[in-house]
Amino acid sequence: NRLEWLCFDACLMASMEVASILAPHAKYMIASEETLPGQGVDYNFLGEASRGSLRGDEVGKLIIDHTADYYDKRARELNYNQFLVTLSLMDLDRVQPVRAQTDELFQSLQHGIELGVYSDIARRRDATKDYGRAGTSFIFDLIDLTDLADNLSVLYPDHTAALKEAIDDMVLYNRTNVPRSSGLSIYFPFGNKEHYERRWVGLYKDFSVAPVYQAFMDAFGNILLADSLAAWQGAQAPVIQQDADTGEYFVHLTEEQVQHYDRSEYYILAHRWGEEYQLAFVSGDVKLDESGRLFPQFDGKILYLKDNLNPEGIVPIIMEVESIDGI
């Protein structure tokens, strides 16, 4: 006997893996791709549900609308920008086509790995919407599956289009205020190598969710954990230089480094006094030009706090955790 619906009042549960494992046990699943705000689901939905249908798709919409509306209202009351909301209602009878199309896509990507396009795939993976980065200090490597398909569409347009269609059929309802969140995530190891190596590379095999995707992840993970594909240290370490015309600082990469380059960060130190400096700013907003030069996109402005007791001001540490659509 399957449950009519199953709702996760928890963070980061709207993944293909969770949906696949629970499909034999429930008809519909309601879950969040991102971290759920601290107060969780708005249980006032129970009053309305008790007076109407208890069908899973209808209750799922009630849960999502009540919760999303609640946090919209709370944000206005607190004069707060927004609470992150990424709730979706999934038909678990339609998860199998998503798994099948995921395997189809990653079978092609497996051939891509064998042909040596790891760095291209890695850059597209790194550019995909990532969850848990803004709400926690941990890298979970859970990414939006539709956004991943969009980023890979240039390489495999037919496979990614079929996968997106299957996801649209499975995700019946989705309310989100987080860009590029379509309702279904997937685990794709990249940022947290240690967690993948120590635990998930073995544990993931126990799920048996998508065997071809698992095989791809093994191949991708082997390169991820291996030595760098380009030399970055010693004599090959990029040297900081200054443009004589503009005064801008940059580092110049070799052709091999450009080929395997994914991203970089720059650090700004604020001068306190004497020989003392303080870390003030960390950002990945770096531009790679056609000649292989990396320029930090820093406008010279630092945020600082000031009050009557401390007229010199306090410089807080500002660290970029994610860059989405230029923000």
Side-chain angles (χ1 to χ4, degrees), residues 1 17 27 41 59 67 79 83-84 97 111 123 129 135 151 166-167 196 201 220 252 256 262 270-271 282 289 303 323:
N1 293 325
E17 293 87 348
K27 296 179 182 178
V41 168
V59 173
T67 304
N79 196 26
F83 292 93
L84 300 180
H111 296 319
R123 281 189 289 268
K129 179 70 189 84
N151 287 333
I167 295 171
Y196 172 69
V201 65
F220 186 90
H252 210 152
E256 182 185 52
D262 174 38
H271 182 227
V282 180
D289 70 9
L303 179 69
S323 177

Side-chain angles (χ1 to χ4, degrees), residues 124 145-154 160 164 180 182:
R124 296 173 190 277
L145 188 52
T146 296
D147 194 37
L148 177 64
D150 285 335
N151 287 333
L152 294 171
S153 61
V154 174
T160 53
K164 288 169 62 178
R180 289 157 49 188
S182 301

Side-chain angles (χ1 to χ4, degrees), residues 12 14-21 95 98-99 102-103 106 140-143 145 148 184-190 195-221:
L12 306 166
S15 72
M16 185 194 73
E17 293 87 348
V18 172
S20 298
I21 291 168
V95 69
V98 174
R99 293 163 59 179
T102 299
D103 271 351
F106 281 95
F140 295 92
D141 282 334
L142 288 166
I143 59 174
L145 188 52
L148 177 64
L184 186 67
S185 64
I186 193 170
Y187 174 68
F188 193 139
F190 189 73
H195 195 65
Y196 172 69
E197 182 177 24
R198 292 181 60 185
R199 182 161 177 81
W200 278 93
V201 65
L203 185 60
Y204 199 92
K205 294 177 182 178
D206 297 337
F207 298 155
S208 300
V209 168
V212 178
Y213 175 65
Q214 171 67 58
F216 162 83
M217 189 162 53
D218 288 343
F220 186 90

Side-chain angles (χ1 to χ4, degrees), residues 85-110:
V85 175
T86 55
L87 290 167
S88 57
L89 164 67
M90 287 163 271
D91 183 345
L92 297 185
D93 286 334
R94 302 182 186 181
V95 69
Q96 179 54 37
V98 174
R99 293 163 59 179
Q101 292 302 328
T102 299
D103 271 351
E104 287 285 333
L105 171 60
F106 281 95
Q107 186 161 26
S108 298
L109 286 170
Q110 176 78 13

Side-chain angles (χ1 to χ4, degrees), residues 11-12 33-36 84 86 122 125-144 178 181 188-193 262-265 267 282-284 319-324 327:
C11 299
L12 306 166
E33 282 189 281
E34 186 52 273
T35 54
L36 197 63
L84 300 180
T86 55
R125 155 61 182 91
D126 192 36
T128 301
K129 179 70 189 84
D130 208 337
Y131 296 105
R133 300 292 290 273
T136 74
S137 58
F138 192 82
I139 299 175
F140 295 92
D141 282 334
L142 288 166
I143 59 174
D144 187 84
V178 177
S181 297
F188 193 139
F190 189 73
N192 197 330
K193 296 182 184 181
D262 174 38
R263 57 188 164 89
S264 57
E265 293 179 340
Y267 296 73
V282 180
S283 173
M319 302 185 70
E320 174 192 293
V321 294
E322 187 178 30
S323 177
I324 289 291
I327 300 173

Side-chain angles (χ1 to χ4, degrees), residues 250-255 258-259 261 287-295:
F250 66 92
V251 293
H252 210 152
L253 305 186
T254 65
E255 290 185 10
V258 170
Q259 179 184 356
Y261 168 78
K287 181 181 179 181
L288 178 64
D289 70 9
E290 296 179 354
S291 63
R293 298 185 302 173
L294 287 173
F295 287 91

